[in-house]
Protein backbone atom coordinates (compact mmCIF):
# COMPACT_ATOMS: atom_id res chain seq x y z
CA UNK A 1 0.00 0.00 0.00
CA UNK A 2 1.76 3.14 -1.26
CA UNK A 3 0.32 6.20 0.47
CA UNK A 4 1.00 9.66 -1.01
CA UNK A 5 0.48 12.77 1.12
CA UNK A 6 -1.17 15.72 -0.66
CA UNK A 7 -1.94 17.96 2.31
CA UNK A 8 -1.80 17.76 6.08
CA UNK A 9 -5.37 16.49 6.07
CA UNK A 10 -5.51 14.29 2.94
CA UNK A 11 -3.49 11.45 1.47
CA UNK A 12 -4.34 9.18 -1.47
CA UNK A 13 -3.35 5.67 -2.49
CA UNK A 14 -4.26 2.76 -4.77
CA UNK A 15 -6.86 0.15 -3.81
CA UNK A 16 -6.84 -0.66 -0.10
CA UNK A 17 -7.34 -4.32 0.72
CA UNK A 18 -9.38 -5.62 3.63
CA UNK A 19 -6.22 -6.82 5.35
CA UNK A 20 -4.68 -3.35 5.04
CA UNK A 21 -7.39 -1.39 6.85
CA UNK A 22 -5.70 -2.02 10.19
CA UNK A 23 -2.45 -0.52 8.88
CA UNK A 24 -4.40 2.56 7.72
CA UNK A 25 -5.72 3.11 11.23
CA UNK A 26 -2.30 2.44 12.74
CA UNK A 27 -0.84 5.28 10.67
CA UNK A 28 -3.20 7.75 12.32
CA UNK A 29 -5.90 8.20 9.69
CA UNK A 30 -9.39 8.94 10.96
CA UNK A 31 -11.38 8.65 7.69
CA UNK A 32 -11.26 6.29 4.71
CA UNK A 33 -12.81 7.44 1.41
CA UNK A 34 -13.49 5.02 -1.45
CA UNK A 35 -13.66 6.62 -4.92
CA UNK A 36 -13.77 3.32 -6.79
CA UNK A 37 -17.14 1.88 -7.92
CA UNK A 38 -17.83 -1.68 -6.85
CA UNK A 39 -17.08 -4.35 -9.43
CA UNK A 40 -14.21 -2.70 -11.29
CA UNK A 41 -11.83 -5.52 -10.35
CA UNK A 42 -12.44 -9.22 -9.79
CA UNK A 43 -10.56 -9.19 -6.46
CA UNK A 44 -11.85 -5.79 -5.28
CA UNK A 45 -13.67 -5.70 -1.92
CA UNK A 46 -17.11 -4.15 -2.03
CA UNK A 47 -17.62 -0.85 -0.28
CA UNK A 48 -19.86 -2.62 2.24
CA UNK A 49 -17.00 -4.97 3.16
CA UNK A 50 -14.60 -2.04 3.42
CA UNK A 51 -17.06 -0.08 5.55
CA UNK A 52 -17.34 -2.99 8.00
CA UNK A 53 -13.55 -3.37 8.17
CA UNK A 54 -13.10 0.37 8.68
CA UNK A 55 -15.71 0.49 11.44
CA UNK A 56 -13.94 -2.36 13.26
CA UNK A 57 -10.77 -0.23 13.27
CA UNK A 58 -12.51 2.94 14.44
CA UNK A 59 -12.34 4.62 11.02
CA UNK A 60 -15.16 6.65 9.49
CA UNK A 61 -15.86 5.29 5.99
CA UNK A 62 -17.28 7.23 3.02
CA UNK A 63 -18.23 5.94 -0.44
CA UNK A 64 -18.05 8.42 -3.34
CA UNK A 65 -17.67 6.22 -6.47
CA UNK A 66 -16.34 7.82 -9.67
CA UNK A 67 -16.09 6.10 -13.06
CA UNK A 68 -12.51 6.22 -14.32
CA UNK A 69 -11.88 9.22 -16.58
CA UNK A 70 -15.25 10.82 -15.78
CA UNK A 71 -14.57 13.17 -12.86
CA UNK A 72 -17.08 16.03 -13.14
CA UNK A 73 -17.03 19.40 -11.40
CA UNK A 74 -20.06 18.22 -9.41
CA UNK A 75 -18.06 15.18 -8.25
CA UNK A 76 -15.21 17.45 -7.19
CA UNK A 77 -17.58 19.71 -5.27
CA UNK A 78 -19.05 16.68 -3.47
CA UNK A 79 -15.52 15.50 -2.62
CA UNK A 80 -14.62 18.91 -1.20
CA UNK A 81 -17.77 18.96 0.93
CA UNK A 82 -16.98 15.45 2.15
CA UNK A 83 -13.46 16.45 3.16
CA UNK A 84 -14.80 19.44 5.04
CA UNK A 85 -16.90 17.26 7.35
CA UNK A 86 -14.88 14.01 7.54
CA UNK A 87 -12.52 13.58 10.51
CA UNK A 88 -8.96 14.39 9.52
CA UNK A 89 -6.56 13.15 8.40
CA UNK A 90 -8.33 11.24 5.63
CA UNK A 91 -7.09 8.64 3.17
CA UNK A 92 -8.86 8.46 -0.21
CA UNK A 93 -8.35 5.60 -2.62
CA UNK A 94 -9.40 4.25 -6.03
CA UNK A 95 -7.71 1.73 -8.32
CA UNK A 96 -4.46 3.70 -8.63
CA UNK A 97 -5.16 6.84 -6.57
CA UNK A 98 -5.46 8.99 -9.70
CA UNK A 99 -9.20 9.62 -9.39
CA UNK A 100 -8.80 10.60 -5.76
CA UNK A 101 -5.95 12.99 -6.58
CA UNK A 102 -8.01 14.46 -9.44
CA UNK A 103 -10.98 15.03 -7.16
CA UNK A 104 -8.73 16.81 -4.65
CA UNK A 105 -7.19 19.08 -7.30
CA UNK A 106 -10.53 20.08 -8.82
CA UNK A 107 -12.09 20.62 -5.41
CA UNK A 108 -9.18 22.91 -4.43
CA UNK A 109 -8.98 25.08 -7.55
CA UNK A 110 -10.79 28.06 -6.03
CA UNK A 111 -8.26 28.35 -3.23
CA UNK A 112 -4.98 27.22 -4.79
CA UNK A 113 -3.17 28.19 -8.05
CA UNK A 114 -3.34 25.53 -10.76
CA UNK A 115 0.44 25.19 -11.08
CA UNK A 116 0.77 24.60 -7.33
CA UNK A 117 -1.89 21.89 -7.39
CA UNK A 118 -0.21 20.10 -10.27
CA UNK A 119 3.25 20.36 -8.68
CA UNK A 120 1.94 19.00 -5.38
CA UNK A 121 0.32 16.05 -7.12
CA UNK A 122 3.45 15.38 -9.18
CA UNK A 123 5.61 15.24 -6.07
CA UNK A 124 3.15 12.71 -4.70
CA UNK A 125 3.50 10.60 -7.85
CA UNK A 126 0.39 11.69 -9.77
CA UNK A 127 0.61 13.52 -13.10
CA UNK A 128 -2.37 15.87 -13.39
CA UNK A 129 -1.09 18.24 -16.07
CA UNK A 130 -4.02 17.31 -18.32
CA UNK A 131 -6.26 19.11 -15.82
CA UNK A 132 -4.53 22.44 -16.42
CA UNK A 133 -7.25 23.87 -18.70
CA UNK A 134 -10.01 22.98 -16.21
CA UNK A 135 -8.03 24.31 -13.28
CA UNK A 136 -7.02 27.55 -14.96
CA UNK A 137 -10.37 28.16 -16.65
CA UNK A 138 -11.84 28.41 -13.15
CA UNK A 139 -9.04 30.01 -11.16
CA UNK A 140 -7.88 32.48 -13.84
CA UNK A 141 -10.85 33.25 -16.11
CA UNK A 142 -10.02 34.28 -19.68
CA UNK A 143 -6.32 33.34 -19.51
CA UNK A 144 -6.40 31.04 -22.52
CA UNK A 145 -8.35 33.51 -24.62
CA UNK A 146 -6.01 36.43 -23.95
CA UNK A 147 -2.55 34.94 -23.70
CA UNK A 148 -0.13 34.00 -26.50
CA UNK A 149 3.42 32.95 -25.66
CA UNK A 150 4.30 31.60 -29.10
CA UNK A 151 2.66 31.31 -32.50
CA UNK A 152 3.52 29.14 -35.51
CA UNK A 153 1.94 28.24 -38.82
CA UNK A 154 2.06 24.53 -37.94
CA UNK A 155 2.35 23.06 -34.45
CA UNK A 156 3.10 19.34 -34.17
CA UNK A 157 2.38 17.56 -30.89
CA UNK A 158 4.89 14.75 -30.46
CA UNK A 159 8.48 14.25 -31.56
CA UNK A 160 8.29 10.53 -32.20
CA UNK A 161 8.43 8.79 -35.56
CA UNK A 162 5.15 10.34 -36.73
CA UNK A 163 5.90 13.89 -35.62
CA UNK A 164 9.40 14.19 -37.02
CA UNK A 165 8.44 12.45 -40.27
CA UNK A 166 5.48 14.81 -40.70
CA UNK A 167 7.70 17.85 -40.10
CA UNK A 168 10.30 16.62 -42.60
CA UNK A 169 7.64 15.87 -45.22
CA UNK A 170 6.12 19.33 -44.71
CA UNK A 171 9.48 21.01 -45.29
CA UNK A 172 10.02 18.92 -48.43
CA UNK A 173 6.81 20.44 -49.82
CA UNK A 174 7.04 23.93 -48.33
CA UNK A 175 10.65 24.91 -47.52
CA UNK A 176 10.80 27.61 -44.88
CA UNK A 177 7.36 26.80 -43.45
CA UNK A 178 7.11 27.94 -39.81
CA UNK A 179 6.84 24.67 -37.86
CA UNK A 180 7.17 23.85 -34.17
CA UNK A 181 7.38 20.41 -32.55
CA UNK A 182 6.20 20.15 -28.95
CA UNK A 183 7.83 17.32 -27.00
CA UNK A 184 9.57 17.24 -23.60
CA UNK A 185 11.70 14.16 -24.33
CA UNK A 186 15.50 14.27 -24.57
CA UNK A 187 15.75 10.96 -26.43
CA UNK A 188 14.09 9.49 -29.52
CA UNK A 189 13.70 5.72 -29.82
CA UNK A 190 13.52 3.36 -32.77
CA UNK A 191 10.94 1.19 -31.07
CA UNK A 192 10.64 -1.49 -33.82
CA UNK A 193 14.19 -2.49 -32.87
CA UNK A 194 13.31 -3.48 -29.32
CA UNK A 195 12.04 -6.90 -30.39
CA UNK A 196 15.51 -7.65 -31.73
CA UNK A 197 17.11 -6.25 -28.58
CA UNK A 198 15.01 -8.75 -26.64
CA UNK A 199 16.42 -11.53 -28.82
CA UNK A 200 20.06 -10.48 -28.56
CA UNK A 201 20.27 -9.34 -32.20
CA UNK A 202 20.53 -5.57 -31.57
CA UNK A 203 22.29 -3.71 -28.79
CA UNK A 204 19.84 -1.30 -27.10
CA UNK A 205 22.08 1.69 -27.89
CA UNK A 206 21.40 1.08 -31.56
CA UNK A 207 17.75 2.07 -31.04
CA UNK A 208 18.17 5.50 -29.40
CA UNK A 209 19.41 8.93 -30.48
CA UNK A 210 19.25 12.42 -29.02
CA UNK A 211 16.11 14.30 -29.95
CA UNK A 212 18.07 17.48 -30.63
CA UNK A 213 19.92 15.78 -33.49
CA UNK A 214 16.72 14.59 -35.19
CA UNK A 215 14.52 17.70 -35.19
CA UNK A 216 14.62 18.89 -38.83
CA UNK A 217 16.72 22.00 -39.44
CA UNK A 218 14.59 25.13 -39.22
CA UNK A 219 11.89 23.50 -37.07
CA UNK A 220 11.39 25.05 -33.63
CA UNK A 221 11.57 22.61 -30.73
CA UNK A 222 9.32 23.51 -27.80
CA UNK A 223 10.64 21.26 -25.07
CA UNK A 224 7.53 21.04 -22.90
CA UNK A 225 4.61 18.77 -22.08
CA UNK A 226 1.10 19.49 -23.28
CA UNK A 227 -1.51 20.25 -20.63
CA UNK A 228 -4.54 20.68 -22.88
CA UNK A 229 -6.11 21.94 -26.11
CA UNK A 230 -8.44 24.80 -26.99
CA UNK A 231 -9.13 23.99 -30.67
CA UNK A 232 -11.85 26.61 -30.98
CA UNK A 233 -9.21 29.22 -30.12
CA UNK A 234 -6.41 27.55 -32.14
CA UNK A 235 -4.40 27.14 -28.96
CA UNK A 236 -2.35 24.50 -27.17
CA UNK A 237 -1.72 24.91 -23.46
CA UNK A 238 1.59 23.71 -22.05
CA UNK A 239 2.56 22.78 -18.52
CA UNK A 240 3.17 25.93 -16.56
CA UNK A 241 0.39 27.79 -18.36
CA UNK A 242 2.16 28.82 -21.59
CA UNK A 243 -0.10 29.13 -24.62
CA UNK A 244 1.03 28.26 -28.17
CA UNK A 245 -1.20 29.22 -31.09
CA UNK A 246 -1.31 27.74 -34.58
CA UNK A 247 -2.88 27.92 -38.01
CA UNK A 248 -2.65 24.14 -38.38
CA UNK A 249 -2.27 21.55 -35.64
CA UNK A 250 -0.89 18.03 -36.13
CA UNK A 251 -1.48 15.68 -33.21
CA UNK A 252 0.75 12.61 -32.93
CA UNK A 253 1.90 12.07 -29.32
CA UNK A 254 1.88 8.28 -29.48
CA UNK A 255 -0.06 6.17 -27.02
CA UNK A 256 0.20 5.42 -23.32
CA UNK A 257 1.51 2.11 -22.00
CA UNK A 258 -0.62 1.68 -18.91
CA UNK A 259 1.69 -0.45 -16.75
CA UNK A 260 -0.20 0.57 -13.61
CA UNK A 261 -3.45 -0.92 -14.96
CA UNK A 262 -2.22 -4.41 -14.00
CA UNK A 263 -1.78 -4.61 -10.21
CA UNK A 264 1.66 -5.83 -9.23
CA UNK A 265 3.19 -5.52 -12.69
CA UNK A 266 5.01 -2.17 -12.47
CA UNK A 267 6.85 -3.00 -9.26
CA UNK A 268 8.14 -6.36 -10.49
CA UNK A 269 9.24 -5.43 -14.04
CA UNK A 270 12.82 -6.53 -14.62
CA UNK A 271 12.72 -8.78 -11.55
CA UNK A 272 11.28 -12.16 -10.58
CA UNK A 273 11.41 -13.32 -14.19
CA UNK A 274 9.02 -10.56 -15.39
CA UNK A 275 10.19 -8.86 -18.61
CA UNK A 276 8.84 -6.85 -21.53
CA UNK A 277 10.10 -5.72 -24.93
CA UNK A 278 7.80 -2.70 -24.74
CA UNK A 279 10.33 -0.56 -22.85
CA UNK A 280 13.87 0.44 -23.78
CA UNK A 281 15.41 -0.46 -20.43
CA UNK A 282 13.54 -3.76 -20.16
CA UNK A 283 14.17 -5.31 -23.59
CA UNK A 284 17.76 -6.33 -22.65
CA UNK A 285 16.29 -8.08 -19.58
CA UNK A 286 14.19 -10.24 -21.90
CA UNK A 287 17.26 -11.61 -23.63
CA UNK A 288 19.05 -12.09 -20.31
CA UNK A 289 16.15 -14.03 -18.80
CA UNK A 290 15.58 -16.11 -21.95
CA UNK A 291 19.23 -17.18 -21.98
CA UNK A 292 19.23 -18.02 -18.27
CA UNK A 293 16.04 -20.09 -18.29
CA UNK A 294 16.83 -23.80 -18.53
CA UNK A 295 13.52 -25.34 -17.45
CA UNK A 296 10.09 -24.37 -16.19
CA UNK A 297 7.13 -22.43 -17.59
CA UNK A 298 7.27 -19.32 -19.78
CA UNK A 299 4.16 -17.17 -20.25
CA UNK A 300 3.73 -14.57 -23.00
CA UNK A 301 0.77 -12.17 -22.94
CA UNK A 302 -1.10 -9.89 -25.31
CA UNK A 303 -3.65 -7.33 -24.00
CA UNK A 304 -6.91 -6.23 -25.65
CA UNK A 305 -6.65 -4.22 -28.84
CA UNK A 306 -5.74 -1.62 -29.87
CA UNK A 307 -2.05 -1.87 -29.04
CA UNK A 308 1.23 -0.71 -30.52
CA UNK A 309 2.36 -3.31 -33.08
CA UNK A 310 -0.06 -6.16 -32.48
CA UNK A 311 2.56 -8.67 -33.65
CA UNK A 312 5.19 -7.66 -31.09
CA UNK A 313 3.93 -9.95 -28.29
CA UNK A 314 4.19 -12.89 -30.68
CA UNK A 315 7.64 -11.85 -31.86
CA UNK A 316 8.92 -12.17 -28.31
CA UNK A 317 7.31 -15.60 -28.10
CA UNK A 318 8.74 -16.95 -31.35
CA UNK A 319 12.28 -15.63 -30.89
CA UNK A 320 12.45 -16.95 -27.33
CA UNK A 321 11.18 -20.37 -28.43
CA UNK A 322 13.65 -20.39 -31.29
CA UNK A 323 16.53 -19.82 -28.87
CA UNK A 324 15.35 -22.62 -26.55
CA UNK A 325 14.89 -24.95 -29.50
CA UNK A 326 18.40 -24.28 -30.80
CA UNK A 327 19.76 -24.77 -27.28
CA UNK A 328 18.01 -28.15 -26.96
CA UNK A 329 15.71 -26.90 -24.18
CA UNK A 330 12.34 -26.94 -25.92
CA UNK A 331 11.07 -30.04 -24.10
CA UNK A 332 12.14 -28.64 -20.74
CA UNK A 333 10.32 -25.30 -21.04
CA UNK A 334 6.53 -25.26 -21.28
CA UNK A 335 5.53 -22.21 -23.32
CA UNK A 336 2.07 -20.67 -23.16
CA UNK A 337 0.61 -17.67 -25.03
CA UNK A 338 -2.26 -15.76 -23.38
CA UNK A 339 -4.05 -13.51 -25.85
CA UNK A 340 -6.99 -11.32 -24.83
CA UNK A 341 -8.27 -11.57 -28.39
CA UNK A 342 -9.97 -14.43 -30.19
CA UNK A 343 -7.47 -15.03 -33.02
CA UNK A 344 -3.73 -15.39 -33.41
CA UNK A 345 -3.44 -12.55 -35.93
CA UNK A 346 -6.05 -10.16 -37.28
CA UNK A 347 -5.35 -10.81 -40.97
CA UNK A 348 -6.23 -14.42 -41.71
CA UNK A 349 -3.84 -14.86 -44.67
CA UNK A 350 -0.83 -14.88 -42.34
CA UNK A 351 -2.23 -17.26 -39.73
CA UNK A 352 -1.30 -20.58 -41.43
CA UNK A 353 2.41 -19.71 -41.47
CA UNK A 354 2.27 -18.58 -37.87
CA UNK A 355 0.44 -21.74 -36.79
CA UNK A 356 3.25 -23.85 -38.25
CA UNK A 357 5.61 -22.18 -35.78
CA UNK A 358 3.13 -22.52 -32.92
CA UNK A 359 3.15 -26.28 -33.54
CA UNK A 360 6.91 -26.40 -34.08
CA UNK A 361 7.55 -24.69 -30.75
CA UNK A 362 4.80 -26.66 -28.97
CA UNK A 363 3.14 -23.47 -27.76
CA UNK A 364 -0.13 -23.74 -25.82
CA UNK A 365 -2.52 -21.07 -27.14
CA UNK A 366 -5.03 -19.49 -24.76
CA UNK A 367 -7.43 -17.01 -26.36
CA UNK A 368 -9.78 -14.74 -24.45
CA UNK A 369 -7.36 -14.44 -21.52
CA UNK A 370 -6.47 -10.95 -20.21
CA UNK A 371 -3.63 -10.45 -17.74
CA UNK A 372 -5.14 -8.78 -14.66
CA UNK A 373 -2.51 -9.10 -11.90
CA UNK A 374 1.07 -10.18 -11.30
CA UNK A 375 2.46 -11.50 -8.03
CA UNK A 376 6.16 -11.16 -8.77
CA UNK A 377 7.68 -12.58 -5.57
CA UNK A 378 5.50 -15.70 -5.79
CA UNK A 379 5.69 -15.77 -9.61
CA UNK A 380 1.95 -16.05 -10.20
CA UNK A 381 0.08 -14.39 -13.07
CA UNK A 382 -3.69 -13.90 -12.91
CA UNK A 383 -5.86 -13.81 -16.01
CA UNK A 384 -9.50 -12.96 -16.56
CA UNK A 385 -11.18 -15.49 -18.87
CA UNK A 386 -14.54 -15.02 -20.58
CA UNK A 387 -16.72 -18.10 -20.26
CA UNK A 388 -19.24 -19.20 -22.94
CA UNK A 389 -22.14 -17.93 -20.85
CA UNK A 390 -20.67 -14.44 -20.61
CA UNK A 391 -19.37 -14.78 -17.05
CA UNK A 392 -15.74 -14.20 -16.22
CA UNK A 393 -13.46 -16.31 -14.11
CA UNK A 394 -9.93 -15.75 -12.79
CA UNK A 395 -7.24 -18.17 -13.91
CA UNK A 396 -3.88 -18.23 -12.10
CA UNK A 397 -0.68 -19.61 -13.58
CA UNK A 398 2.73 -19.95 -12.02
CA UNK A 399 5.68 -18.91 -14.15
CA UNK A 400 9.44 -18.90 -14.35
CA UNK A 401 9.41 -16.25 -17.07
CA UNK A 402 6.61 -13.82 -17.88
CA UNK A 403 6.77 -11.54 -20.93
CA UNK A 404 4.10 -8.98 -20.08
CA UNK A 405 2.53 -6.49 -22.47
CA UNK A 406 0.54 -3.71 -20.77
CA UNK A 407 -2.87 -2.47 -21.90
CA UNK A 408 -2.59 0.66 -24.02
CA UNK A 409 -4.66 3.79 -24.44
CA UNK A 410 -4.46 7.37 -25.64
CA UNK A 411 -2.44 9.77 -23.44
CA UNK A 412 -4.40 11.34 -20.62
CA UNK A 413 -4.14 14.86 -22.07
CA UNK A 414 -5.71 13.56 -25.29
CA UNK A 415 -8.51 11.66 -23.56
CA UNK A 416 -9.45 14.77 -21.56
CA UNK A 417 -9.47 17.05 -24.62
CA UNK A 418 -12.10 18.13 -27.18
CA UNK A 419 -10.06 16.29 -29.83
CA UNK A 420 -10.96 12.86 -28.47
CA UNK A 421 -13.70 10.49 -29.55
CA UNK A 422 -15.80 8.58 -27.02
CA UNK A 423 -12.99 6.06 -26.49
CA UNK A 424 -10.35 8.76 -25.93
CA UNK A 425 -8.50 8.60 -29.27
CA UNK A 426 -7.98 11.54 -31.66
CA UNK A 427 -11.07 11.56 -33.88
CA UNK A 428 -9.79 11.43 -37.48
CA UNK A 429 -11.16 10.91 -40.96
CA UNK A 430 -9.54 7.61 -42.04
CA UNK A 431 -8.63 8.87 -45.52
CA UNK A 432 -7.55 12.51 -45.21
CA UNK A 433 -6.45 12.16 -41.55
CA UNK A 434 -8.11 15.48 -40.80
CA UNK A 435 -10.03 15.82 -37.56
CA UNK A 436 -13.72 15.15 -37.98
CA UNK A 437 -14.79 18.34 -36.16
CA UNK A 438 -11.90 20.79 -36.39
CA UNK A 439 -10.85 21.58 -39.96
CA UNK A 440 -7.36 22.85 -39.09
CA UNK A 441 -6.43 19.84 -36.96
CA UNK A 442 -4.81 16.69 -38.38
CA UNK A 443 -3.44 13.58 -36.76
CA UNK A 444 -1.38 10.48 -37.39
CA UNK A 445 0.40 7.75 -35.54
CA UNK A 446 -0.70 5.68 -32.58
CA UNK A 447 -3.02 8.22 -30.90
CA UNK A 448 -5.50 8.31 -33.80
CA UNK A 449 -8.74 6.35 -33.93
CA UNK A 450 -8.23 5.07 -37.48
CA UNK A 451 -8.47 1.28 -37.71
CA UNK A 452 -5.01 0.66 -39.16
CA UNK A 453 -2.28 -1.20 -37.28
CA UNK A 454 -0.38 1.07 -34.89
CA UNK A 455 3.11 0.61 -36.34
CA UNK A 456 6.01 2.76 -37.53
CA UNK A 457 5.27 1.52 -41.04
CA UNK A 458 1.78 3.03 -40.80
CA UNK A 459 3.22 6.36 -39.62
CA UNK A 460 5.68 6.29 -42.52
CA UNK A 461 2.75 6.13 -44.95
CA UNK A 462 0.61 8.60 -43.02
CA UNK A 463 3.20 11.37 -42.73
CA UNK A 464 3.24 12.29 -46.45
CA UNK A 465 -0.57 12.24 -46.54
CA UNK A 466 -0.81 14.64 -43.60
CA UNK A 467 1.96 16.86 -44.99
CA UNK A 468 0.30 17.09 -48.40
CA UNK A 469 -3.12 17.86 -46.92
CA UNK A 470 -1.83 20.40 -44.38
CA UNK A 471 -0.06 22.35 -47.12
CA UNK A 472 -3.25 22.21 -49.19
CA UNK A 473 -5.30 23.46 -46.23
CA UNK A 474 -2.87 26.35 -45.68
CA UNK A 475 -3.44 27.31 -49.31
CA UNK A 476 -7.23 26.82 -49.11
CA UNK A 477 -7.01 23.98 -51.63
CA UNK A 478 -8.91 20.66 -51.60
CA UNK A 479 -7.39 17.80 -49.63
CA UNK A 480 -6.32 15.35 -52.34
CA UNK A 481 -4.05 12.92 -50.45
CA UNK A 482 -5.56 9.72 -49.09
CA UNK A 483 -4.28 7.14 -46.63
CA UNK A 484 -5.35 3.58 -47.43
CA UNK A 485 -4.74 2.11 -43.97
CA UNK A 486 -1.38 0.54 -44.82
CA UNK A 487 0.42 -1.12 -41.97
CA UNK A 488 3.24 -3.60 -41.79
CA UNK A 489 4.24 -6.11 -39.15
CA UNK A 490 7.44 -8.11 -39.77
CA UNK A 491 6.69 -11.18 -37.66
CA UNK A 492 10.04 -12.61 -36.59
CA UNK A 493 9.14 -16.29 -36.39
CA UNK A 494 12.73 -17.45 -35.93
CA UNK A 495 16.20 -15.96 -35.98
CA UNK A 496 16.82 -15.37 -39.68
CA UNK A 497 13.22 -15.64 -40.96
CA UNK A 498 10.22 -13.32 -40.99
CA UNK A 499 6.59 -13.51 -42.07
CA UNK A 500 6.20 -10.03 -43.57
CA UNK A 501 2.60 -9.03 -42.97
CA UNK A 502 1.52 -5.98 -45.02
CA UNK A 503 -2.10 -4.94 -45.19
CA UNK A 504 -4.48 -1.99 -45.52
CA UNK A 505 -7.94 -1.16 -44.19
CA UNK A 506 -10.21 -4.18 -43.97
CA UNK A 507 -7.30 -6.63 -43.90
CA UNK A 508 -6.63 -6.19 -47.64
CA UNK A 509 -3.14 -7.48 -48.48
CA UNK A 510 -0.81 -4.69 -49.56
CA UNK A 511 2.59 -6.18 -50.43
CA UNK A 512 5.47 -3.84 -51.24
CA UNK A 513 7.43 -6.44 -53.20
CA UNK A 514 6.64 -8.95 -55.97
CA UNK A 515 5.64 -12.32 -54.61
CA UNK A 516 8.60 -14.04 -56.28
CA UNK A 517 10.89 -11.82 -54.20
CA UNK A 518 9.06 -11.83 -50.84
CA UNK A 519 5.83 -13.74 -50.31
CA UNK A 520 4.63 -12.23 -47.05
CA UNK A 521 2.48 -15.24 -46.28
CA UNK A 522 5.55 -17.44 -45.89
CA UNK A 523 8.64 -17.18 -43.68
CA UNK A 524 11.40 -15.44 -45.62
CA UNK A 525 15.12 -14.94 -45.08
CA UNK A 526 15.08 -11.89 -47.35
CA UNK A 527 12.40 -10.32 -45.14
CA UNK A 528 14.71 -10.86 -42.15
CA UNK A 529 17.50 -8.98 -43.93
CA UNK A 530 15.01 -6.21 -44.67
CA UNK A 531 14.08 -5.97 -40.98
CA UNK A 532 17.62 -6.27 -39.61
CA UNK A 533 19.68 -4.26 -42.10
CA UNK A 534 17.49 -2.11 -44.34
CA UNK A 535 14.64 -0.80 -42.18
CA UNK A 536 16.80 0.86 -39.48
CA UNK A 537 18.71 3.12 -41.94
CA UNK A 538 15.45 3.64 -43.87
CA UNK A 539 13.97 4.93 -40.62
CA UNK A 540 16.83 7.20 -39.56
CA UNK A 541 17.95 8.45 -42.97
CA UNK A 542 14.71 8.15 -44.94
CA UNK A 543 11.51 8.51 -42.97
CA UNK A 544 12.85 11.07 -40.47
CA UNK A 545 14.48 13.09 -43.26
CA UNK A 546 11.37 13.45 -45.39
CA UNK A 547 12.53 10.98 -48.03
CA UNK A 548 9.35 9.21 -49.01
CA UNK A 549 10.77 6.03 -50.52
CA UNK A 550 7.83 3.70 -51.23
CA UNK A 551 5.62 6.11 -49.26
CA UNK A 552 4.38 8.68 -51.79
CA UNK A 553 0.74 9.52 -50.99
CA UNK A 554 -2.13 8.47 -53.19
CA UNK A 555 -3.77 11.56 -54.74
CA UNK A 556 -7.40 11.77 -55.81
CA UNK A 557 -9.40 14.32 -57.74
Amino acid sequence: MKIARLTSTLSVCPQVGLAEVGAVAAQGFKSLICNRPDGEGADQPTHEEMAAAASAQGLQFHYLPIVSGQVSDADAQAFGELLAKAPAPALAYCRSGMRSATLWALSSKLATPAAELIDTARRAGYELSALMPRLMAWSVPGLVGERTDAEHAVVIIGGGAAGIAAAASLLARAPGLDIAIVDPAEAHYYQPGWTLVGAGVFEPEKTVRKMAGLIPKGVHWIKAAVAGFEPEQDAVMLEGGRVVRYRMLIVCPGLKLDWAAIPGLAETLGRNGVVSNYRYDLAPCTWQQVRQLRRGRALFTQPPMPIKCAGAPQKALYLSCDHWRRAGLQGQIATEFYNAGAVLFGVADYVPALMEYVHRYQVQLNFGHTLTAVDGPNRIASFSRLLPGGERETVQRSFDLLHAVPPQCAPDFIKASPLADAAGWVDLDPGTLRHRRFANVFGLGDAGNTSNAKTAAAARKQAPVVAHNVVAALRDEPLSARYDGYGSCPLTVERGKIVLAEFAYGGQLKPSFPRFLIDGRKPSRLAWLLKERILPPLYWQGMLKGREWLAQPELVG
Side-chain angles (χ1 to χ4, degrees), residues 144-366:
V144 176
E146 299 171 2
R147 182 169 179 171
T148 300
D149 296 285
E151 190 167 2
H152 300 278
V154 180
V155 172
I156 300 174
I157 307 302
I164 293 180
S169 287
L170 278 168
L171 290 177
R173 289 166 171 78
L177 183 63
D178 178 20
I179 304 171
I181 290 178
V182 180
D183 197 307
E186 292 276 0
H188 177 104
Y189 297 98
Y190 176 58
Q191 296 180 30
W194 292 349
T195 295
L196 296 183
V197 172
V201 179
F202 282 177
E203 293 298 322
E205 295 78 14
K206 191 173 181 178
T207 68
V208 60
R209 294 189 183 180
K210 292 182 177 179
M211 182 76 80
L214 296 175
I215 301 289
K217 186 177 180 180
V219 172
H220 304 273
W221 178 21
I222 301 176
K223 191 179 174 185
V226 173
F229 299 92
E230 291 288 350
E232 293 181 351
Q233 299 184 53
D234 300 334
V236 176
M237 186 165 298
L238 308 181
E239 282 187 326
R242 287 183 293 160
V243 175
V244 179
R245 297 190 182 274
Y246 55 83
R247 288 182 62 195
M248 295 288 160
L249 178 68
I250 301 175
V251 185
C252 46
L255 51 66
K256 173 183 175 181
L257 301 176
D258 198 357
W259 301 99
I262 300 176
L265 175 58
E267 51 265 43
T268 197
L269 284 168
R271 300 183 296 112
N272 303 313
V274 181
V275 298
S276 182
N277 286 344
Y278 271 73
R279 218 169 73 187
Y280 172 76
D281 60 322
L282 294 175
C285 298
T286 301
W287 178 230
Q288 179 186 34
Q289 292 293 318
V290 167
R291 283 183 299 166
Q292 291 178 354
L293 189 64
R294 311 297 295 179
R295 62 180 56 83
R297 178 183 290 132
L299 310 183
F300 294 80
T301 75
Q302 179 166 323
M305 297 292 283
I307 64 171
K308 180 192 296 288
C309 188
Q314 288 183 58
K315 298 177 192 181
L317 166 72
Y318 299 137
L319 287 173
S320 299
C321 287
D322 180 59
H323 170 78
W324 293 325
R325 186 168 181 265
R326 292 170 187 265
L329 299 171
Q330 179 170 295
Q332 300 176 49
I333 299 174
T335 309
E336 302 172 11
F337 185 50
Y338 289 84
N339 187 344
V343 295
L344 186 61
F345 194 73
V347 182
D349 296 74
Y350 301 107
V351 172
L354 299 178
M355 284 302 300
E356 289 184 14
Y357 281 90
V358 168
H359 295 316
R360 174 186 295 185
Y361 297 138
Q362 300 173 14
V363 176
Q364 177 185 320
L365 295 179
N366 300 279

